[in-house]
Amino acid sequence: NMESKERHLIRLYLILLIFFLFLSGCAQQISPQTALYDDWKSQLSQQTNWQVEGKLAFISPDERQSANLNWQQQEQLNQLILTSFIGTRVLALTQNTNGAELEYDDHIYHDINASRLLARLTGFNIPMDSADNWLKGTVDDPSLQVDELGRAKNVTWHAPDGDQWQISYADYQQYAGFWLPKKLTLKHQDIKIKIQLYEWHFN
């Protein structure tokens, strides 16, 4: 009858309402804090567990290569995975306290230094060591130029192997209370690396 139909609809409505409230509650719990920290830069430099996805273009006189990147750091572990645009893995480079390991062309190679290993086997020259600072834009150097919001614009970065890199930051995104680089370019002699970053995650 009509009354039981109404009761049924009301019950359905309440179930849906509770469901949506639950969903929005979940969304609030997992959404990153968006209000910017007053000391966002020092807090960001202390973040040692992070992951970022994006794409990379490596340009040198001899070659030009592009790939998707997934880069993550956990305390002493630093890992860079490059995949082609159709999803096949190009390489996986891991650096930890024991040294570096490169998975490339169905082989596994080892070295003490990740950047040297990568350059030796692939021709890619990417400053992996201390990437934590230049990738997040928290590099501290007398040459550092910042914009009106205190975000890195240009810096001469000295890699541990002695190479000097000119790094310029073109765009930023606000996420989890921090300003994070979205587009950056690294130049060393006749090598240029363009990096576009989409999604950051912090643990």
Side-chain angles (χ1 to χ4, degrees):
N1 64 13
M2 202 69 186
E3 201 177 321
S4 66
K5 233 180 190 175
E6 274 181 10
R7 274 208 307 269
H8 176 70
L9 283 171
I10 289 166
R11 198 166 72 229
L12 189 65
Y13 173 76
L14 283 171
I15 288 167
L16 283 172
L17 182 66
I18 289 164
F19 177 69
F20 284 120
L21 285 173
F22 171 75
L23 272 187
S24 61
C26 288
Q28 281 163 3
Q29 282 170 10
I30 60 166
S31 74
Q33 182 212 340
T34 47
L36 200 64
Y37 292 119
D38 291 336
D39 59 342
W40 64 269
K41 209 166 198 177
S42 61
Q43 287 221 36
L44 181 57
S45 61
Q46 288 161 28
Q47 299 291 324
T48 52
N49 289 327
W50 50 263
Q51 183 172 349
V52 68
E53 289 151 40
K55 63 182 183 184
L56 171 149
F58 178 87
I59 303 151
S60 76
D62 305 322
E63 61 182 320
R64 185 191 177 103
Q65 294 198 41
S66 299
N68 291 315
L69 73 83
N70 184 307
W71 202 326
Q72 61 176 311
Q73 181 167 306
Q74 294 168 335
E75 305 296 341
Q76 302 301 315
L77 176 77
N78 197 349
Q79 186 178 57
L80 171 66
I81 295 171
L82 297 181
T83 52
S84 71
F85 293 112
I86 55 165
T88 53
R89 185 181 281 204
V90 178
L91 61 85
L93 179 61
T94 307
Q95 169 101 50
N96 58 29
T97 46
N98 302 321
E101 180 181 287
L102 177 67
E103 250 183 85
Y104 178 65
D105 223 9
D106 296 330
H107 291 86
I108 293 177
Y109 305 90
H110 295 89
D111 198 314
I112 300 216
N113 178 285
S115 300
R116 191 173 62 201
L117 179 60
L118 186 66
R120 196 181 81 212
L121 288 163
T122 68
F124 275 100
N125 189 347
I126 302 171
M128 281 283 290
D129 314 305
S130 315
D132 188 47
N133 281 326
W134 61 258
L135 202 62
K136 292 188 308 193
T138 54
V139 58
D140 191 20
D141 188 89
S143 69
L144 178 66
Q145 295 174 350
V146 296
D147 65 13
E148 69 281 359
L149 296 172
R151 306 174 302 190
K153 257 172 59 177
N154 297 293
V155 68
T156 302
W157 188 74
H158 305 269
D161 61 6
D163 285 349
Q164 276 192 29
W165 292 83
Q166 297 296 325
I167 307 178
S168 55
Y169 299 84
D171 198 7
Y172 279 84
Q173 56 190 314
Q174 201 175 314
Y175 177 81
F178 309 118
W179 279 115
L180 291 156
K182 203 172 177 179
K183 286 182 185 172
L184 56 154
T185 303
L186 291 84
K187 289 179 190 168
H188 167 65
Q189 293 172 358
D190 52 6
I191 292 168
K192 186 193 279 188
I193 301 166
K194 291 180 158 190
I195 299 176
Q196 198 165 346
L197 302 169
Y198 307 130
E199 274 193 59
W200 286 87
H201 308 278
F202 294 94
N203 299 341

